């Protein structure tokens, strides 16, 4: 399970980039700050392997 900060997930839409209008395209940019919630710290295992 993960969490976001107070801003949540932000989406911006644009059709004014370069030649998007002439190509009938729309761009979306999604930004967010996420973290992982750990409810059982003893259940986390780190394994180091060699190449």
């Amino acid at each position: 399970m993960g969490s976001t900060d107070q801003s949540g997930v932000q989406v911006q839409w644009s059709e004014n980039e370069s030649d998007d209008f002439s190509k009938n395209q729309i761009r979306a940019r999604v930004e967010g700050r996420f973290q992982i919630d750990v409810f059982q710290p003893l259940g986390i295992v780190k394994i180091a392997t060699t190449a």
Side-chain angles (χ1 to χ4, degrees):
M1 174 178 257
S3 297
T4 63
D5 61 2
Q6 295 296 327
S7 298
V9 178
Q10 299 176 355
V11 180
Q12 294 178 333
W13 296 92
S14 176
E15 54 188 35
N16 297 323
E17 294 291 328
S18 186
D19 58 351
D20 288 350
F21 184 77
S22 63
K23 291 182 177 181
N24 198 25
Q25 295 177 338
I26 298 175
R27 293 180 193 238
R29 179 172 62 181
V30 179
E31 296 181 0
R33 293 185 182 199
F34 304 95
Q35 68 183 17
I36 297 175
D37 294 331
V38 179
F39 297 109
Q40 295 179 341
L42 295 178
I44 296 177
V45 177
K46 180 179 179 182
I47 300 173
T49 59
T50 58

